[in-house]
Amino acid sequence: MEKFFNPHSVAIFGSMKEGKTGFEIVRNIVEGGFKGKIYPVSRSGGQIFGLNIKKDFKNLDIDLAVIAIPSQFIPSLLENLGNKGVKSVIIISAGFSEVGNIEEEEKIKKIAKKYSIRIVGPNCAGIMNTECNLFASIEVRALKGRTAFITQSGSLGGAVLMMAEELGFGFSKFVSYGNRCDVDEADLIKYLQDDPQTKVIAVYIEGLKDGRKLLAQDKKALPKKPIIAIKAGKSEAGMRATSSHTGSLAGEDRIYDAAFKQTGILRVSDVGEMFDLSRGLIYYQKIEGNRIAIVTNSGGPAVMTTDKLEELGLVVPEPSPSLKNRLKSSLPPNISLRNPFDLLAYGSAENFAFVCEAIASEYNAIIVIFVPTAYMNSTKIAKALGKVKKRIKKPIFASFMAGRLVKKGIEELNSCGIPNYETGERCAKVIQKIVLQTSNLKGGRGA
Amino acid sequence: MEKFFNPHSVAIFGSMKEGKTGFEIVRNIVEGGFKGKIYPVSRSGGQIFGLNIKKDFKNLDIDLAVIAIPSQFIPSLLENLGNKGVKSVIIISAGFSEVGNIEEEEKIKKIAKKYSIRIVGPNCAGIMNTECNLFASIEVRALKGRTAFITQSGSLGGAVLMMAEELGFGFSKFVSYGNRCDVDEADLIKYLQDDPQTKVIAVYIEGLKDGRKLLAQDKKALPKKPIIAIKAGKSEAGMRATSSHTGSLAGEDRIYDAAFKQTGILRVSDVGEMFDLSRGLIYYQKIEGNRIAIVTNSGGPAVMTTDKLEELGLVVPEPSPSLKNRLKSSLPPNISLRNPFDLLAYGSAENFAFVCEAIASEYNAIIVIFVPTAYMNSTKIAKALGKVKKRIKKPIFASFMAGRLVKKGIEELNSCGIPNYETGERCAKVIQKIVLQTSNLKGGRGA
């Protein structure tokens, strides 16, 4: 597997005409700044991005082959690569089992077996490793980050990369594995659980070929790294629409759901939640209980967040009488000290920091909801929270609402390691999953 | 009520020092481009934004008074305004029932009654009417739009305005009514239902003082305009956090829920959904049934959208055999024609338009999910959809995913009157509510 992610040399097989898949992959690898050898291979010859296009690959030393030629020519190319001792091959080309051409896919599987070649694909969008600037894919190049994303659907992968770019969200690895004629989710998770760049593993699946293999693998992976899954094909119409509904682990979504719970995989319902949860897990891998505090200068959003937390099974309890008295003696009157702690117009950096620090011992996590006014400087509040976070050693989540008035504050939060979410409700969803993950790790699965 | 929204003259009472509430309101009114007379009133005298600050208001002709002086001075000011015949007053100042000062609030209510003054507030963020550029508020100035937003929580209102600004989402009217010592939700909805600038009414409430009045009012408003409600304070802890939990319609959220259903108010769970649904309702006030089609070039997102639609009680049925044959004869092979209609790599503008037009007669609404690739031009697809939409007279919703590659395409969609959402799941949620609204209007309430 290592050569898929850290090859010394990559050969790309495909048309090198502008706009064609082969051309776009070479462009991505070159522009992405890959430091190893890059061999574009095409009968056309000529040059591309300052590289000579090889007509012949006999004498090339190839760690990783990326194939984007028409499907009917792939078996003989694979034979040649096998004879050369190439062990890692990505097949981007479509035209296999996804269009009913099962025979052709069986053919390449047989050749791969004969030469011990590992294949990612066919019908996939490729592989990225941001650590070594390898972008063996036609998709938008991922930013550097700590989440590994593996996806069955290539076009969903592309959409995720574009959404992530807009959010400034980065990835350690990206793998679109398509028809998974060989390398599958379980193989990838096994590799990623020991990848030091990856803190969180996120998976998009429509159906599994070998469910038991994945679930057994995930049980091993779980103690090392949290796994987030988006599983599509819940409804009957949705299953009909997945290409892989035949031969999947089970026809019914609730069986997946139970299996995810049993193995401690965190299921999310859409891509937005996947981003939210990944960002949370990068900063906070544990939340040791379900007592949540909300500190705010805005009643409305705090009430809505309280509702969401309680709906999700978390609690928003009042502070102890002694804590309440301590707070009362140090804060202006009228401030609500019953949790949510509503600082009203007294939401200064000092007061936000004071309350967060004072209440930390009685809660497992704190959500700070801040709505800016003309009087309040979001950067100052972010800085103060960053300092408090270091002292209290409890997770702080933020929802600085919204727009240009808090833009700098949110940048400051990022640099202090405090994740910010558009709404407090989104903080609540993330916290609930991390609490669940923590309880899973302690052996309390299914909680 | 008219003078709250369309005054010929506005007097602002408060400190005119930079950064103070009075100053900020005058700034908003002046910079917002209000065409009527603007009278800043303060004992300080001097000038502000080129206007003379009046020390005395005896000889001023005032349609609307905006008050931001300390609460203890308000009763005598109100007496003076009453004597002058001023009938519309916004009290921005806090320090009344929300901090337990019920006596003071009763005092101003009595004075208002004596002089037939209508009061918005106290403890509120004010009023905006984008039609006449009236921004009698300290909050960020709203963009022009067709949604009226009324909110009990001023700071939530502020957050909504900032989020809206970032999204380019506009409002016809904005009202933060705070403690609603006089003008309440029912009064505002009554006014807004006849406001030609308003197509959709959105309400944020924590609790009601006179629930029956609102619900009776909404029953009248419903046939004219859809009403969207965010009701906070669902959970016990959430109710504890609302300032108005005493004296509300009922302690339990499920009673609100039933009342909303009975009157056809569309309840959403957060601000994001409120924006989504408002945008949908501005374009499409009716969807005549629950048969939804998905046309896409990307399997994964389409499957997830199918799941969401079915989860929400809508259906994603296959086309009739004759329609399927018609499509088959005109499209390349391998395209999935079972709904979702997956165009794969053949997702050209022509094919998207052809499929949408061909299937329109068998479905009540169409979701187009487009994931860009290097080959496909999102603007061309948006233009083609805009033309089809005019011909088929069925609602088309779009999810062009994502980022800079589709930015121009989304602008084109907007100008064609097709709402675009970040994900197909969000389209699904909007469609479900509009289907519900349509069935409500037909008398099938509670469906």
Side-chain angles (χ1 to χ4, degrees):
Chain A
M1 295 291 291
E2 192 57 30
K3 288 196 174 167
F4 279 114
F5 295 101
N6 286 300
H8 291 107
S9 58
V10 184
I12 302 95
F13 299 82
S15 166
M16 296 299 154
K17 272 189 227 153
E18 197 173 339
K20 294 286 182 186
T21 306
F23 173 93
E24 293 295 338
I25 295 170
V26 175
R27 182 215 288 272
N28 251 348
I29 295 178
V30 172
E31 289 183 354
F34 178 63
K35 294 275 179 280
K37 293 219 162 90
I38 307 169
Y39 305 123
V41 183
S42 169
R43 276 172 301 175
S44 68
Q47 280 219 326
I48 179 173
F49 301 108
L51 300 168
N52 289 320
I53 298 173
K54 313 281 180 186
K55 289 186 180 181
D56 183 12
F57 57 95
K58 253 183 246 149
N59 301 318
L60 301 179
D61 182 22
I62 300 171
D63 272 357
L64 174 64
V66 185
I67 299 178
I69 64 175
S71 56
Q72 65 270 28
F73 304 121
I74 293 180
S76 73
L77 172 57
L78 263 190
E79 287 275 2
N80 287 331
L81 291 171
N83 276 322
K84 274 184 58 58
V86 175
K87 297 293 179 207
S88 300
V89 173
I90 303 172
I91 304 179
I92 305 285
S93 320
F96 293 89
S97 64
E98 85 283 1
V99 294
N101 199 347
I102 292 163
E103 214 177 299
E104 197 77 8
E105 195 158 309
E106 285 304 317
K107 216 185 273 174
I108 61 169
K109 274 162 84 168
K110 229 178 253 169
I111 301 169
K113 207 169 172 189
K114 182 169 142 197
Y115 295 101
S116 304
I117 299 173
R118 300 293 327 246
I119 293 178
V120 168
N123 182 34
C124 77
I127 287 183
M128 303 186 189
N129 177 6
T130 56
E131 193 199 353
C132 67
N133 292 323
L134 173 69
F135 298 96
S137 171
I138 47 167
E139 301 295 344
V140 168
R141 295 195 293 277
L143 304 171
K144 269 193 173 55
R146 307 305 298 270
T147 301
F149 181 60
I150 64 182
T151 173
Q152 191 172 354
S153 160
S155 63
L156 183 113
V160 162
L161 288 168
M162 285 183 275
M163 290 167 84
E165 185 191 67
E166 198 157 80
L167 294 168
F169 182 97
F171 296 94
S172 54
K173 309 279 187 287
F174 167 90
V175 185
S176 154
Y177 55 86
N179 296 1
R180 69 183 153 194
C181 82
D182 173 29
V183 171
D184 64 10
E185 305 84 2
D187 297 319
L188 292 165
I189 289 172
K190 189 177 171 190
Y191 177 82
L192 293 168
Q193 71 174 326
D194 292 317
D195 173 36
Q197 270 67 47
T198 297
K199 275 198 153 180
V200 179
I201 301 168
V203 192
Y204 170 85
I205 41 178
E206 293 179 348
L208 294 172
K209 269 185 187 157
D210 188 351
R212 233 156 298 172
K213 182 178 167 199
L214 174 65
L215 294 177
Q217 184 52 52
D218 282 347
K219 265 200 172 152
K220 277 184 233 157
L222 186 68
K224 293 194 188 166
K225 277 170 202 169
I227 299 175
I228 303 171
I230 308 176
K231 158 76 178 63
K234 283 186 206 180
S235 62
E236 215 177 296
M239 283 198 302
R240 194 182 69 216
T242 64
S243 53
S244 50
H245 65 288
T246 50
S248 67
L249 173 68
E252 293 220 22
D253 186 73
R254 63 186 167 77
I255 300 184
Y256 279 92
D257 214 52
F260 289 152
K261 281 203 183 115
Q262 208 192 323
T263 48
I265 295 178
L266 302 167
R267 184 173 187 169
V268 293
S269 63
D270 61 35
V271 173
E273 277 184 37
M274 188 268 280
F275 286 129
D276 282 356
L277 182 53
S278 297
R279 286 199 297 125
L281 281 165
I282 285 166
Y283 295 121
Y284 307 121
Q285 310 230 320
K286 283 184 192 173
I287 298 175
E288 301 284 357
N290 66 352
R291 295 172 57 88
I292 315 300
I294 300 171
V295 185
T296 186
N297 67 338
S298 179
V303 177
M304 288 167 65
T305 304
T306 305
D307 285 345
K308 180 54 86 178
L309 286 164
E310 299 249 331
E311 182 194 322
L312 294 172
L314 303 165
V315 295
V316 188
E318 297 199 37
S320 67
S322 67
L323 174 53
K324 208 182 272 184
N325 283 333
R326 233 183 92 211
L327 291 169
K328 203 181 268 175
S329 65
S330 309
L331 290 167
N334 298 333
I335 288 181
S336 172
L337 300 174
R338 303 180 68 187
N339 191 17
F341 300 87
D342 187 350
L343 299 172
L344 305 168
Y346 308 102
S348 61
E350 293 72 26
N351 284 341
F352 267 109
F354 168 74
V355 174
C356 288
E357 186 152 7
I359 65 174
S361 63
E362 295 196 0
Y363 297 94
N364 302 109
I366 300 171
I367 301 175
V368 174
I369 301 173
F370 169 67
V371 175
T373 69
Y375 318 94
M376 293 168 192
N377 180 323
S378 71
T379 315
K380 261 179 84 178
I381 294 174
K383 273 188 188 152
L385 292 176
K387 278 184 203 160
V388 168
K389 189 196 150 193
K390 275 187 203 157
R391 287 200 296 269
I392 63 175
K393 298 189 171 84
K394 286 274 169 78
I396 297 180
F397 294 79
S399 176
F400 278 24
M401 303 169 82
R404 58 185 162 76
L405 279 180
V406 293
K407 214 177 153 208
K408 284 197 175 161
I410 291 173
E411 283 164 18
E412 183 64 35
L413 287 172
N414 283 341
S415 73
C416 299
I418 297 177
N420 186 74
Y421 296 91
E422 211 176 285
T423 62
E425 291 97 309
R426 287 169 71 166
C427 294
K429 283 188 189 179
V430 170
I431 290 173
Q432 188 240 8
K433 299 278 188 198
I434 302 181
V435 169
L436 192 67
Q437 163 78 2
T438 311
S439 129
N440 283 340
L441 289 177
K442 285 185 179 160
R445 287 198 180 150
Chain B
M1 295 290 290
E2 191 57 31
K3 288 197 173 166
F4 279 113
F5 295 101
N6 287 299
H8 291 106
S9 57
V10 184
I12 302 94
F13 299 83
S15 166
M16 297 300 153
K17 271 188 229 155
E18 198 171 337
K20 294 288 181 184
T21 307
F23 174 92
E24 293 294 338
I25 296 170
V26 174
R27 182 216 290 271
N28 251 349
I29 295 177
V30 172
E31 289 182 352
F34 179 64
K35 294 275 179 282
K37 293 222 163 86
I38 307 168
Y39 304 124
V41 183
S42 169
R43 274 173 302 177
S44 68
Q47 280 218 327
I48 179 173
F49 300 107
L51 299 168
N52 289 320
I53 298 173
K54 311 282 179 185
K55 293 186 179 183
D56 182 11
F57 57 95
K58 252 182 246 150
N59 301 318
L60 301 179
D61 183 22
I62 300 171
D63 273 358
L64 173 64
V66 185
I67 299 178
I69 64 175
S71 56
Q72 66 269 30
F73 304 121
I74 293 180
S76 74
L77 172 57
L78 265 189
E79 286 275 0
N80 286 331
L81 291 171
N83 276 322
K84 276 184 56 61
V86 176
K87 298 293 178 204
S88 300
V89 173
I90 303 171
I91 303 179
I92 304 287
S93 320
F96 294 89
S97 64
E98 86 283 1
V99 294
N101 199 348
I102 292 163
E103 212 177 300
E104 197 78 5
E105 195 157 310
E106 285 304 319
K107 216 186 274 176
I108 62 169
K109 275 163 82 168
K110 226 178 257 172
I111 301 169
K113 206 168 172 192
K114 181 169 141 196
Y115 294 102
S116 305
I117 300 173
R118 301 293 328 246
I119 294 179
V120 167
N123 183 33
C124 76
I127 288 182
M128 304 187 188
N129 178 6
T130 57
E131 192 199 357
C132 68
N133 292 323
L134 173 68
F135 298 96
S137 172
I138 46 166
E139 300 296 344
V140 167
R141 295 194 293 277
L143 303 172
K144 268 192 171 58
R146 309 303 299 268
T147 302
F149 181 59
I150 65 182
T151 174
Q152 192 172 353
S153 159
S155 63
L156 182 113
V160 162
L161 288 168
M162 285 182 276
M163 291 168 83
E165 185 191 67
E166 199 156 80
L167 295 169
F169 182 97
F171 296 94
S172 54
K173 308 280 188 287
F174 168 88
V175 185
S176 154
Y177 55 86
N179 296 2
R180 67 182 155 196
C181 82
D182 175 27
V183 171
D184 63 12
E185 305 84 2
D187 297 320
L188 292 165
I189 289 172
K190 189 177 170 191
Y191 177 82
L192 294 168
Q193 70 174 325
D194 293 317
D195 173 36
Q197 269 67 46
T198 298
K199 274 197 155 181
V200 179
I201 301 168
V203 192
Y204 170 85
I205 41 177
E206 294 179 348
L208 294 172
K209 271 186 187 154
D210 188 349
R212 232 158 295 171
K213 183 178 166 198
L214 174 65
L215 295 176
Q217 184 51 52
D218 283 347
K219 266 199 169 151
K220 278 184 231 155
L222 186 68
K224 292 193 187 166
K225 276 168 203 170
I227 299 174
I228 303 171
I230 308 177
K231 159 74 178 65
K234 282 185 205 181
S235 62
E236 216 177 297
M239 282 198 302
R240 193 182 69 217
T242 64
S243 53
S244 49
H245 64 289
T246 50
S248 66
L249 174 68
E252 292 220 23
D253 187 73
R254 64 186 166 75
I255 300 184
Y256 278 93
D257 214 52
F260 288 151
K261 279 199 184 121
Q262 206 191 324
T263 48
I265 295 177
L266 302 167
R267 184 173 186 170
V268 292
S269 64
D270 61 34
V271 173
E273 278 185 36
M274 189 269 280
F275 286 128
D276 281 357
L277 183 53
S278 297
R279 286 198 298 126
L281 282 165
I282 285 166
Y283 294 121
Y284 308 123
Q285 311 232 319
K286 283 183 192 174
I287 298 175
E288 301 282 357
N290 65 352
R291 294 172 58 88
I292 314 300
I294 300 171
V295 185
T296 187
N297 67 337
S298 178
V303 177
M304 288 167 65
T305 304
T306 304
D307 285 345
K308 180 54 87 178
L309 286 164
E310 298 249 331
E311 181 194 324
L312 294 172
L314 303 166
V315 295
V316 188
E318 297 199 39
S320 67
S322 67
L323 173 54
K324 208 182 272 186
N325 284 332
R326 233 183 90 211
L327 292 169
K328 203 180 268 174
S329 65
S330 308
L331 289 167
N334 298 333
I335 289 182
S336 172
L337 299 174
R338 302 179 69 187
N339 192 17
F341 300 88
D342 188 350
L343 300 172
L344 305 166
Y346 309 102
S348 61
E350 293 71 27
N351 285 342
F352 267 110
F354 168 73
V355 174
C356 288
E357 187 153 8
I359 65 175
S361 64
E362 295 195 0
Y363 296 94
N364 302 109
I366 299 170
I367 301 175
V368 174
I369 301 173
F370 169 67
V371 175
T373 71
Y375 318 95
M376 292 168 192
N377 180 323
S378 72
T379 316
K380 261 178 85 180
I381 294 173
K383 272 188 189 154
L385 292 175
K387 276 184 203 160
V388 168
K389 189 196 150 195
K390 273 186 203 158
R391 287 199 295 269
I392 65 175
K393 297 190 173 83
K394 286 273 168 77
I396 296 180
F397 294 80
S399 176
F400 278 26
M401 300 168 83
R404 59 186 160 78
L405 279 180
V406 293
K407 214 176 153 210
K408 284 197 175 162
I410 291 173
E411 282 166 18
E412 183 65 36
L413 285 172
N414 284 341
S415 74
C416 298
I418 297 176
N420 186 74
Y421 295 92
E422 211 176 285
T423 62
E425 292 96 309
R426 288 169 71 166
C427 294
K429 282 189 189 177
V430 170
I431 290 173
Q432 188 239 9
K433 300 278 188 197
I434 302 181
V435 170
L436 192 68
Q437 163 79 2
T438 311
S439 131
N440 284 339
L441 289 177
K442 285 183 180 163
R445 288 200 178 149

